[in-house]
Amino acid sequence: MINKIEKKKFENILKELDNFKNKDFDFSSGKIIGSMCTKPHDISIQGYIKFIDTNLGDPELFPGTYEIEVYLKNFILNLLNAPKLAQGLIVSGGTEGNITAMWLAKKLSKKNEIILSKSAHFSFKKIASLMNMKLITIPLTKEYIIDIKKVKNKINDNTAAIIGIAGSTELGTIDSIPQLSDICLDENIFLHVDAAFGGFVIPFLKKINYKTTDFDFKLKGVNSITIDAHKMGYSAIPLGVLAIRKQNWLNKISVESHCTNSEKQTGILGTRSGGPVAAAYAVSKFLGKKGYSKLIGDCMNLTRYIESEIIKIGLELIIKPEMNVIGVKIKNLDYVNKKLSDLGWKVNKINRLSCLRIVVMPHLTKKSIDEFIPILKKVCKESGEI
Ligand code: 0PR
């Protein structure tokens, strides 16, 4: 029981929090159009709250939460066409997934070079610094994907892993993972696929008959995949999965854990909340593969609409989008981006490609796009862009 004074204090703190929250941009405004995250599905929010006090670092105390974790991992392994002996590891997101994958690749190979493309996510720079690994960066083709010939030239006795990207951060492009898979099988090299964004998109694009590239465990050379539920999985932050081809590889990234009841702890984190796991379980159960297919279909329809509206106002796209990420060429990038931001529209700028990135997440609607396009046109006219 709290007394009157405490009750007042309690209410004041909540008010204070509301004031902070009101300074944030809100997904439901429809004005966040460059983020790879979204407002989680309602059921995900409710699932999160129910499990906020659980700790998956100590599954002995929380066997029910642990069961949810097993279900969620199986849902994702199934989505990725994983073989029977595969296993998943819950992680906080793409960064931790990629770090853990490279920890494993380094342990398995005892080597330290990573071959990856120029468009790989910056988490690999953290990996290089954290684990004393060397990044061998490969240029992109004119389709903005990794240049396979150049990959072959860079393979040597120190190669620990090759990275394929399935849904790049900049443009949502997909590397030729089938070719990378063949190379890695031939050369006996660990192939990690960063599908942090595309993992919840590509499987459903296939189901709704979009032409796309294979990226998952069906390709025998793929050894691990990063996939995030807090991006296109429509779930709450932080939730990703690192899926690995062989369960026994987990031993390589486990340590003995004397203080908890379980003998070993796997992966990077110790204490971790069951909240995001329950959240992702709830949304995956609610939507199922059918629901996700519909969601991705809607995002793609809106993507096509935005593409045509952008072209209509005289702007150009960097490439035809393969998924729900659009790169709009802008010469005067800083000016346009700042102007849009001042007007309340949050688009991301990709300096390297001199483009604005629009990510067509579930919170976007045709209505907000119809408001945005005339504003974009006006700003681009002012800057002499069109
Ligand atoms: N791999 C890829 C392909 C990614 O795009 C990202 C994040 C990561 C790994 C790392 O994932 P975490 O950030 O979950 O660790 N890409 C987004 C980006 O850098 C992250 C993001 C999301 C940024 C929402 C802004 C934002 O509002 O653009």
Side-chain angles (χ1 to χ4, degrees), residues 35-37 93-95 98 121-122 167 169 194 196 228 230-231 357:
S35 171
M36 285 193 159
C37 291
T95 301
N98 289 340
H121 186 257
F122 55 80
T169 311
D194 183 354
D228 282 354
H230 68 215
K231 295 189 171 76
R357 180 186 75 178

Side-chain angles (χ1 to χ4, degrees), residues 337-382:
N337 190 53
K338 166 127 194 351
K339 250 305 152 63
L340 289 172
S341 176
D342 291 347
L343 294 166
W345 294 90
K346 304 305 282 182
V347 190
N348 287 40
K349 69 184 169 93
I350 311 282
N351 287 321
R352 204 176 67 79
L353 302 175
S354 193
C355 77
L356 284 180
R357 180 186 75 178
I358 296 177
V359 189
V360 189
M361 296 299 291
H363 61 269
L364 284 188
T365 58
K366 181 172 176 295
K367 188 170 168 277
S368 66
I369 295 304
D370 284 341
E371 264 180 65
F372 172 66
I373 295 288
I375 290 167
L376 177 66
K377 185 176 174 184
K378 190 169 168 275
V379 171
C380 286
K381 265 203 169 146
E382 276 165 18

Side-chain angles (χ1 to χ4, degrees), residues 178-331:
Q179 280 176 283
L180 291 177
S181 168
D182 289 345
I183 294 172
C184 286
L185 280 177
D186 281 352
E187 303 273 353
N188 195 22
I189 294 173
F190 193 95
L191 174 58
H192 172 65
V193 176
D194 183 354
F197 185 77
F200 267 95
V201 180
I202 305 165
F204 304 109
L205 283 181
K206 283 191 162 182
K207 283 193 195 304
I208 54 175
N209 297 324
Y210 275 82
K211 219 178 127 242
T212 182
T213 310
D214 285 334
F215 78 107
D216 65 22
F217 289 109
K218 258 195 187 156
L219 304 168
K220 297 273 183 291
V222 171
N223 285 329
S224 61
I225 303 176
T226 290
I227 171 171
D228 282 354
H230 68 215
K231 295 189 171 76
M232 282 302 291
Y234 211 172
S235 197
I237 303 170
L239 202 286
V241 171
L242 174 68
I244 60 175
R245 182 172 282 279
K246 292 186 182 159
Q247 168 150 27
N248 62 6
W249 288 344
L250 287 180
N251 295 330
K252 298 278 177 196
I253 50 168
S254 298
V255 294
E256 283 176 24
S257 51
H258 300 296
C259 301
T260 59
N261 289 324
S262 36
E263 281 164 19
K264 274 187 173 178
Q265 201 175 70
T266 307
I268 295 173
L269 298 186
T271 301
R272 57 191 175 85
S273 171
V277 176
Y281 167 89
V283 67
S284 70
K285 267 259 151 144
F286 189 83
L287 292 180
K289 288 186 180 170
K290 241 185 165 172
Y292 276 119
S293 299
K294 160 97 175 60
L295 184 77
I296 305 306
D298 290 347
C299 290
M300 285 311 292
N301 288 340
L302 191 56
T303 301
R304 295 292 179 249
Y305 176 69
I306 299 171
E307 285 170 36
S308 69
E309 292 300 294
I310 298 255
I311 290 165
K312 261 192 220 160
I313 62 170
L315 290 169
E316 270 180 65
L317 306 182
I318 301 266
I319 47 159
K320 170 94 185 149
E322 262 184 282
M323 53 179 82
N324 47 331
V325 182
I326 306 172
V328 187
K329 278 190 201 170
I330 302 283
K331 285 185 222 94

Side-chain angles (χ1 to χ4, degrees), residues 111-128:
K111 297 173 182 175
N112 80 332
E113 284 188 13
I114 303 171
I115 298 179
L116 75 185
S117 85
K118 234 181 169 166
S119 64
H121 186 257
F122 55 80
S123 49
F124 288 96
K125 291 187 185 159
K126 299 183 186 179
I127 289 166

Side-chain angles (χ1 to χ4, degrees), residues 107-146:
K107 281 280 192 174
L108 287 170
S109 67
K110 301 190 175 63
K111 297 173 182 175
N112 80 332
E113 284 188 13
I114 303 171
I115 298 179
L116 75 185
S117 85
K118 234 181 169 166
S119 64
H121 186 257
F122 55 80
S123 49
F124 288 96
K125 291 187 185 159
K126 299 183 186 179
I127 289 166
S129 166
L130 271 170
M131 292 194 280
N132 199 19
M133 295 183 88
K134 188 173 161 195
L135 303 182
I136 310 291
T137 309
I138 306 292
L140 301 175
T141 64
K142 62 178 190 326
E143 290 85 25
Y144 292 88
I145 57 174
I146 197 163

